[in-house]
Amino acid sequence: MTNKHYAIIGGGINGLAVARQILLDFPDAKVTVFEKENAVAQHQSSHNSGVVHAGLYYEPGGLKARLCRRGAELVQQFCAENDVAYDECGKVVVALSKEEESRLDTIFQKSLANQVPDVRMLNASEIQDVEPNCIGTKALYSPRTAIVSYGAIACKIAEEIKLKGGEIVLGQKVVRLTEKNNKVSIHFENNEHYSTVFDYVVACAGLQSDRLAAHSGDIETPKIVPFFGQYYVIDEQFKSHVKGLIYPVPDPKYPFLGVHFTKRIDGQMTIGPNAFISFGRENYSGKKFNISDIYDFLTYKGFWKFSSKNMPAAMRELRTVLSQTNFVAEAAKYVPSLANVSVTPATRGIRAQAMESDGSLVDDFVIRKQGNITHIRNAPSPGATSSLAIAEYIVREVMTHD
Ligand SMILES: Cc1cc2nc3c(=O)[nH]c(=O)nc-3n(C[C@H](O)[C@H](O)[C@H](O)COP(=O)(O)OP(=O)(O)OC[C@H]3O[C@@H](n4cnc5c(N)ncnc54)[C@H](O)[C@@H]3O)c2cc1C
């Protein structure tokens, strides 16, 4: 694998992490990253909660559980070595009822199986030792959960790639990959054809990953269905009401973690994100529609099956989409002193969530190798926490596998 020429499609945190890992493991390799935007990390990697997840929720033995734990260690180490801000602010997952308590116990058992460090259960009064303004009947406390800026980490990784001799080509949208005699050609939207052919290509195209994979001969499903998440910044005067991260117990039928209080590495306190279908894969303002993105999910039978099974959760989320007051009320169930806090809309994030044709959301990371091309087909949260471990896994296990 040394002395080879590698191309990475996508300059988000995963694509950049893979490029860096190749240069670390094979210093003589040539590495070129192709990114369609004019800067790196313009999509999910800079529109997220910024949480370094400790690995509480994930199915023991799955890729998420393994790569999140390893990734969290690697992110901490990377931040320390590169002078990137890292705040181990801790997190509580709070139950409000007996029914939620039993689901919380299941998460606690998973976190123990995943060997998450220092996790413990808190009773109602102990919750206030950690978060003085938070109420709940029971909570799971993860003191090692941290916050960072993944956009800042991605930019540092990009610098390292260039220092190690790698190339990052911006403003080049790849539409298709073709492979012949173990060499891969890259076809661009503007009909330019990169003169070099590559030995190996890793596609890390996030919200566009299903399209690039299908146009390159990989299987059509799972398809990406975009779910946006709105954040609100709370009034500066009230941000001290929350010390770190306060999360609800997730609804097992809906895979997103629920509206939570998130301290940001820049000191702001946000509430969010909710989760609702996005009328564009890259539509951050929420004001425009992308006809081809809408057509894609409306004509996908998986979307209709998902919708019919998830109506109650979708209606709950819709309430928070239609009304800022409902949004704040959802969060204030955990911190009642913030019931009337004023909030300002912050940017949205849009999740690249893979969905099977039977309507089920793909929970684990999906990474598929086809000849000399590897596609990341599903890397939702904790995909940023796991990015440096996903890179190790792709370079050391997936690409070397015939
Ligand atoms: C609302 C929200 C909250 C989240 N919170 C967290 C969190 O707290 N912690 C956590 O660990 N994870 C979180 N995540 C998940 C995390 O952000 C993602 O898993 C991670 O950023 C995925 O990185 P990526 O590089 O795979 O994708 P992206 O960051 O989306 O990058 C893909 C890149 O590929 C480029 N690209 C796409 N198609 C092409 C093409 N055809 N040619 C060239 N370039 C192309 C895009 O322009 C983009 O730059 C969150 C995600 C969202 C949306």
Side-chain angles (χ1 to χ4, degrees), residues 9-16 34-37 39-53 150 172-175 204-209 212 227-229 231 247 273 282 348-352 365 376 379-386:
I9 318 302
I13 197 162
N14 277 315
L16 295 167
F34 295 100
E35 165 54 52
K36 70 180 168 64
E37 307 295 346
V40 297
Q42 295 299 293
H43 292 290
Q44 293 176 97
S45 299
S46 57
H47 294 85
N48 55 49
S49 299
V51 176
V52 183
H53 288 290
Y150 287 111
Q172 279 289 15
K173 180 171 176 184
V174 175
V175 287
C204 311
L207 287 150
Q208 310 296 337
S209 54
L212 181 57
F227 287 87
F228 77 78
Y231 293 93
Y247 279 63
E282 297 175 358
R348 289 177 165 199
I350 304 177
R351 304 167 179 88
F365 297 144
I376 299 188
S381 186
T385 304
S386 312

Side-chain angles (χ1 to χ4, degrees), residues 16-29 31 74 78 81 157 160-161 164 388 391-392 395-396:
L16 295 167
V18 171
R20 168 181 177 268
Q21 192 64 47
I22 294 168
L23 289 162
L24 286 173
D25 286 5
F26 312 112
D28 296 333
V31 176
L74 292 173
F78 183 89
E81 288 169 3
I157 300 176
E160 188 181 336
I161 291 169
K164 288 189 160 59
L388 298 173
E392 279 185 346
V395 175
R396 296 181 184 169

Side-chain angles (χ1 to χ4, degrees), residues 109-350:
Q109 293 312 319
K110 280 188 185 165
S111 69
L112 295 178
N114 291 336
Q115 299 182 336
V116 179
D118 304 329
V119 279
R120 63 191 163 92
M121 292 299 268
L122 306 176
N123 63 30
S125 66
E126 288 167 335
I127 295 174
Q128 276 146 26
D129 297 338
V130 177
E131 285 287 354
N133 298 300
C134 178
I135 56 159
T137 55
K138 211 171 173 187
L140 172 57
Y141 179 37
S142 167
R144 305 287 286 275
T145 298
I147 52 170
V148 290
S149 159
Y150 287 111
I153 293 177
C155 291
K156 273 282 174 202
I157 300 176
E159 279 172 27
E160 188 181 336
I161 291 169
K162 289 187 221 156
L163 278 174
K164 288 189 160 59
E167 189 187 5
I168 300 180
V169 181
L170 299 172
Q172 279 289 15
K173 180 171 176 184
V174 175
V175 287
R176 197 159 48 95
L177 306 166
T178 49
E179 184 172 347
K180 201 172 168 192
N181 302 328
N182 290 329
K183 296 282 178 193
V184 184
S185 300
I186 297 184
H187 308 264
F188 295 104
E189 186 179 49
N190 57 10
N191 287 327
E192 265 179 41
H193 189 90
Y194 203 69
S195 52
T196 318
V197 286
F198 295 86
D199 296 293
Y200 298 97
V201 175
V202 184
C204 311
L207 287 150
Q208 310 296 337
S209 54
D210 57 334
R211 290 174 174 160
L212 181 57
H215 293 162
S216 306
D218 195 23
I219 53 176
E220 292 273 336
T221 54
K223 274 176 97 65
I224 293 295
V225 176
F227 287 87
F228 77 78
Q230 177 71 53
Y231 293 93
Y232 287 93
V233 179
I234 73 171
D235 182 342
E236 182 76 15
Q237 288 180 53
F238 291 88
K239 68 180 192 187
S240 62
H241 286 225
V242 178
K243 305 231 162 299
L245 306 165
I246 302 178
Y247 279 63
V249 178
D251 177 348
K253 294 192 218 85
Y254 212 58
F256 309 111
L257 295 182
V259 168
H260 46 82
F261 285 98
T262 313
K263 183 179 172 191
R264 296 281 174 172
I265 200 75
D266 62 6
Q268 286 185 333
M269 180 59 69
T270 59
I271 312 179
N274 51 3
F276 201 73
I277 190 77
S278 175
F279 295 131
R281 293 193 183 194
E282 297 175 358
N283 168 14
Y284 295 99
S285 72
K287 293 194 180 108
K288 294 186 198 141
F289 299 99
N290 182 310
I291 300 297
S292 103
D293 290 349
I294 296 173
Y295 178 84
D296 251 17
F297 70 72
L298 285 183
T299 53
Y300 185 41
K301 65 177 180 207
F303 171 71
W304 293 105
K305 289 187 176 167
F306 170 83
S307 306
S308 65
K309 281 188 250 169
N310 286 282
M311 228 12 118
M315 294 319 287
R316 183 190 63 218
E317 296 295 316
L318 184 62
R319 286 181 67 239
T320 67
V321 175
L322 297 175
S323 150
Q324 200 168 291
T325 313
N326 288 341
F327 195 102
V328 173
E330 202 56 38
K333 285 180 191 163
Y334 301 87
V335 184
S337 60
L338 293 178
N340 296 313
V341 71
S342 65
V343 294
T344 321
T347 182
R348 289 177 165 199
I350 304 177

